[in-house]
Amino acid sequence: MNYKILFVWVFLIVVLFVLFILDIFLGSVKIPFNEVIHILFTGNSDFTEFQTIIIHFRIPKALTALFAGFALSVSGLQMQTIFKNPLAGPYVLGISAGASLGVAILVLGISSFTVINQFGIIGNWLIVIAAWIGSGLILFLILAISMRVKDIMTILILGIMFGSATTSIVSILQYFSSESLLKAFIVWTMGSLGGVSQTQLYVLIPSVIIGLIMAFLSVKMLNAMLVGENYAKSMGLNIRLSRFFVFFSTSLLAGSITAFCGPIGFIGIAVPHIARMVFKTANHKILVPGSMLIGGSVLLLSDMISQLPGKESSLPINSITALVGIPVVIWIIIRKQKFSNLG
Amino acid sequence: MESSKKIVDIQNLEIGYPDSKNESNSLFKNINLAASEGELIAVIGKNGVGKSTLLRNIAGLQNSIQGDILLNNKEISTYQRSEFARLVSFVSTEIVNIQNLSVFDLVALGRFPHTNWFGKLETKDLKSVSKALEMVGMKSFANKNINEISDGERQRVMIARTLAQDTPVIVLDEPTAFLDLPNKYEIVHLLNNLSKNENKTILFSTHDLNIAIQEADKIWLMLDKSILEGAPEDLILNETFNHIFENSSLNFDKLKGDFRIKRKHNIKIGLTGDGIYYTWTKKALERLNFLVDKGNESIHFITLELINETCIWKYTNQNESIVFNTIYELSKYLKFQVKI
């Protein structure tokens, strides 16, 4: 490995670390930096309210941003390679549409949602479970199809069709629901990193880690798929099994994040392109960890931007990621011109 | 002398379109062919006759309707996926053009069936990749991106990938399709060298018959209903090539080993002279649909005269005699003055 690349890795890791600390430091309540560092390393503080804020709110939120960044970027990279499409992202299989259907049925369909909401954490868990079931069902359909259908474009189109169908059902549910329920649903679709509790992290982080391990295990398959299915097959790759494996990993990554945080757009599309530009390679052995590090940083940064108003409530994260992600995509299109070729 | 080992043996093969179940999708029946170790075999035939389908069947990318393809005396469908990938490698017609993919990484993909789950390149893999690049003369291109090199160079890299895959059999679907003339010759010559020096069995389809005749050990000639095989010279001598384009306006020239247009010759013209000027003047006159007679017994004739190493063309008929300095001027005059 040459020194320039080594420097890039060290730089990315340092940036990620700094952003992680900064994300914990910044918030509506001003906490002195010394105090933040002290709590981070000892877990204690003379000011109990600072301790509570850091331990119960800011660290879970920063961890959520970190892992959401990892998960969405890596799953976006996987989808871009599998579909040989630079505009593919983690939601191309209809995962977010499935999740929103699950949540819509729970929030809008079951009118006793307000009752559920009074249970607080339980209500929160119900949304997660509904989203997971929704995206899981869509995933199951896509996986079943991917084992039978040969043509990857057919799978892509079916994914988009399932997505559109579920979106229509969601619209119908919205039409018949009351204003307050509608608002609860819309807030979910805006995405939130702050709503994930400490206990939920015990589910979210292991799910993402398993998905990431699968992504690292799929590096060789993804590299082979880059040159097209004919070549991949002629080199001994089991196309259907590999697709199944990668889809499973993507669903675990994107599905879990969407269930806990709502749909978060553009990170999954933009970050793999940034990684390709930084490392100037198409090799997934570098792109998977590269996208992970950059994705984590970008989402931590987006989270900090969302808190700029300095009020108690932060801006919807989905809007921030779109505003951060879209210029990147446009910049790449203009700079590279040949956007149609992956990378 | 012991003859070389038969490595590919095709028996009563019927091929057709993918997933075909009914007879109408059958493309070709009763294929019986063989390829031996170290042979370069060119697959020749009209567009749509089934060259690609045959090659894809041999490369294990498509299933046959019936019959057997034996590889080392074993039906290819009975091989394990990874085992088969160590025996047959493939280069397709599609152009691989991926940004940021280096030549080295692309060739290293050829090590796929030899590496572990993570695709880690061990010392022997790295050696194999750089040897493959050296064999195709692309070693200095290792760090370039695949979309920064020319079509001819890219085709060499794709061949290097099959060499890194280290298979005794290499199948290429129209490797010369997008190349300019020198590259066409060079690529096929490279394949010939690899078959001789590395003892590879190389099967490739092509439309460049004259190149195939010069380089291939054997030609599989796909006609409408039958496939003939033999050394190119054998096929020339027994007039087989004339069957390829039977109903077209082409004739196979046995001496030149190439096709030419069947012409309707209307007017006789005499031509005297010799050497290279004679040959090319004759070609030009034939292009203008003259029937060329050696000598000056026709009503009109052309005489070649060499003066100080340069040639002049003298046209003579009953009335006049005109001198031209180039074939172009001559042919322009003949076109308009002589009713062809």
Side-chain angles (χ1 to χ4, degrees), chain B residues 19-221:
Chain B
D19 304 322
S20 61
K21 287 186 185 75
N22 50 350
E23 192 113 356
S24 61
N25 283 328
S26 167
L27 203 55
F28 224 106
K29 279 183 195 171
N30 298 320
I31 305 172
N32 290 287
L33 296 164
S36 298
E37 269 183 350
E39 274 186 340
L40 176 66
I41 298 182
V43 184
I44 307 274
K46 279 194 289 197
N47 272 333
V49 76
K51 297 189 295 291
S52 280
T53 313
L54 176 62
L55 291 179
R56 288 173 59 83
N57 270 274
I58 297 168
L61 295 172
Q62 202 169 316
N63 296 326
S64 62
I65 297 173
Q66 60 175 21
D68 293 317
I69 300 172
L70 303 179
L71 185 67
N72 289 332
N73 298 316
K74 199 175 157 205
E75 225 295 313
I76 58 167
S77 57
T78 61
Y79 279 100
Q80 290 284 314
R81 213 179 286 271
S82 58
E83 199 185 348
F84 187 71
R86 276 182 238 126
L87 293 170
V88 181
S89 53
F90 180 69
V91 175
S92 80
T93 43
E94 57 191 302
I95 293 178
V96 171
N97 193 4
I98 299 154
Q99 276 188 36
N100 294 329
L101 182 65
S102 73
V103 166
F104 184 89
D105 279 348
L106 181 60
V107 176
L109 276 180
R111 297 304 295 167
F112 191 96
H114 303 275
T115 53
N116 66 6
W117 181 284
F118 295 98
K120 184 171 167 28
L121 297 170
E122 308 286 352
T123 320
K124 69 170 171 41
D125 299 307
L126 294 170
K127 267 189 188 154
S128 166
V129 172
S130 68
K131 190 179 162 222
L133 280 167
E134 206 176 318
M135 279 195 265
V136 300
M138 292 293 291
K139 204 168 183 189
S140 58
F141 285 69
N143 294 321
K144 286 212 173 182
N145 278 349
I146 195 72
N147 60 345
E148 291 169 351
I149 61 178
S150 75
D151 288 342
E153 290 160 352
R154 188 177 303 120
Q155 205 57 275
R156 284 167 185 276
V157 172
M158 294 316 288
I159 292 167
R161 192 193 52 87
T162 68
L163 295 173
Q165 201 170 331
D166 200 13
T167 58
V169 179
I170 302 174
V171 177
L172 306 97
D173 194 1
E174 296 201 19
T176 56
F178 303 104
L179 305 180
D180 59 16
L181 204 56
N183 272 309
K184 279 180 199 274
Y185 276 93
E186 279 168 19
I187 289 290
V188 180
H189 188 63
L190 170 68
L191 295 177
N192 191 3
N193 284 342
L194 292 172
S195 71
K196 303 297 165 298
N197 302 339
E198 309 295 322
N199 204 31
K200 304 266 185 197
T201 303
I202 304 179
L203 312 170
F204 74 107
S205 59
T206 185
H207 288 289
D208 299 305
L209 184 62
N210 48 351
I211 303 177
I213 286 170
Q214 289 177 44
E215 300 282 348
D217 295 304
K218 203 188 218 179
I219 284 181
W220 290 355
L221 184 65

Side-chain angles (χ1 to χ4, degrees), chain A residues 107-135:
Chain A
V107 177
L108 309 172
I110 302 165
S111 51
S112 60
F113 174 70
T114 40
V115 181
I116 294 165
N117 207 20
Q118 280 162 7
F119 291 103
I121 289 169
I122 301 167
N124 205 342
W125 270 111
L126 277 175
I127 289 186
V128 169
I129 289 163
W132 231 341
I133 290 172
S135 60

Side-chain angles (χ1 to χ4, degrees), chain A residues 130-211:
Chain A
W132 231 341
I133 290 172
S135 60
L137 279 176
I138 291 290
L139 159 73
F140 184 76
L141 268 171
I142 295 286
L143 287 181
I145 288 163
S146 75
M147 292 305 279
R148 284 173 186 78
V149 176
K150 241 185 182 170
D151 185 30
I152 194 74
M153 278 304 141
T154 313
I155 298 173
L156 179 66
I157 292 165
L158 286 174
I160 294 168
M161 287 303 116
F162 284 147
S164 304
T166 44
T167 311
S168 329
I169 299 171
V170 171
S171 304
I172 293 169
L173 284 172
Q174 284 177 324
Y175 182 79
F176 287 112
S177 48
S178 71
E179 223 169 284
S180 59
L181 292 179
L182 205 54
K183 196 187 173 202
F185 177 73
I186 298 288
V187 166
W188 178 82
T189 63
M190 286 174 175
S192 159
L193 298 170
V196 183
S197 71
Q198 226 174 343
T199 37
Q200 286 175 336
L201 277 181
Y202 292 128
V203 178
L204 179 65
I205 291 178
S207 312
V208 171
I209 286 175
I210 293 169

